[in-house]
Amino acid sequence: RKEVEQDPGPFNVPEGATVAFNCTYSNSASQSFFWYRQDCRKEPKLLMSVYSSGNEDGRFTAQLNRASQYISLLIRDSKLSDSATYLCAVKGSGGYQKVTFGTGTKLQVIP
Amino acid sequence: DGGITQSPKYLFRKEGQNVTLSCEQNLNHDAMYWYRQDPGQGLRLIYYSQIVNDFQKGDIAEGYSVSREKKESFPLTVTSAQKNPTAFYLCASSQKPGTGFNQPQHFGDGTRLSIL
């Protein structure tokens, strides 16, 4: 089993739709979780951290389910500009706290 | 503005040549990282450094070397021993691990390396 897994997509959704992605992780001792957005041929940019109680930033909501070992990202009222690849990142425990990135989920918002 | 600067944006390597990718940050971050991204694959860790004058191998260190003589700088050398160097190279930095629960990594805008 991969340390961090994501459905590669693509998810093709119409403008205004709500879409959700999941990211599963294998290390139950993982401590920190993040969502990044990566545009084509660009660097990943931090979208949001994921907190235990869940957190929201505008149209974006992140959730953590420790029991089932996954995090989720919900995007409401999708915009054309949301089209990108969304990477999850999971930080482990221990001295170094290695961060493992998923391979990303591609989202295409259609007019 | 604080950030991470990578240079050059594009780099071409000839057979048998070593090339060095630059990464500079002015975020006062202790930890710095180098990743490689290939099409359809996730980010793979090459090397990381938590403090000056110390660095550790990541998952795919063979054919690469680094140095960390200054807090701000973490150059990566792709040696001739790396037989498949064509990829998108990303440098990242973060606060020192252990100083905060949620310390995300921030990325430079990357260097695209190709073989001539």
Side-chain angles (χ1 to χ4, degrees), chain A residues 61-106:
Chain A
T61 300
Q63 298 275 0
L64 167 63
N65 186 318
R66 283 198 182 273
S68 300
Q69 294 183 208
Y70 73 87
I71 61 172
S72 64
L73 178 68
L74 181 81
I75 305 175
R76 289 182 299 278
D77 188 22
S78 298
K79 312 288 184 193
L80 294 176
S81 57
D82 294 333
S83 298
T85 297
Y86 291 84
L87 308 177
C88 63
V90 177
K91 185 187 282 190
S93 57
Y96 162 51
Q97 298 182 352
K98 176 185 175 181
V99 175
T100 303
F101 288 84
T103 53
T105 297
K106 186 170 184 178

Side-chain angles (χ1 to χ4, degrees), chain A residues 5 12 51 76 88 90 110:
Chain A
E5 288 196 80
N12 297 312
Y51 299 109
R76 289 182 299 278
C88 63
V90 177
I110 305 163

Side-chain angles (χ1 to χ4, degrees), chain B residues 38-76:
Chain B
D38 294 276
Q41 296 198 37
L43 301 174
R44 291 187 289 168
L45 182 65
I46 304 172
Y47 268 97
Y48 66 95
S49 168
Q50 297 185 71
I51 55 172
V52 174
N53 292 323
D54 184 64
F55 49 82
Q56 305 295 330
K57 292 181 179 180
D59 301 318
I60 55 164
E62 187 174 348
Y64 300 97
S65 66
V66 294
S67 62
R68 187 87 187 275
E69 297 176 2
K70 298 186 299 180
K71 186 176 183 177
E72 304 79 22
S73 178
F74 192 40
L76 173 75

Side-chain angles (χ1 to χ4, degrees), chain A residues 1 5 9 11 13 17 21-22 25 32 36 38 43-44 59 71 79 83 100 103-104 106 109:
Chain A
R1 183 183 174 185
E5 288 196 80
F11 284 54
V13 302
F21 314 129
N22 283 344
Y25 61 95
S32 304
Y36 286 80
Q38 186 173 26
E43 77 277 19
R59 299 181 293 109
I71 61 172
K79 312 288 184 193
S83 298
T100 303
T103 53
K106 186 170 184 178
V109 180

Side-chain angles (χ1 to χ4, degrees), chain B residues 4 6 8 12 14 16 28 32 47 51 54 58 61 66-68 72 74 85 88 98 101-102 106-107 109-110 113-114:
Chain B
I4 303 169
Q6 289 188 242
F12 298 91
K14 293 180 183 177
N28 200 33
M32 297 186 74
Y47 268 97
I51 55 172
D54 184 64
V66 294
S67 62
R68 187 87 187 275
E72 304 79 22
F74 192 40
F88 187 37
F101 186 67
N102 257 354
H106 298 273
F107 289 86
D109 58 4
L113 177 62
S114 302

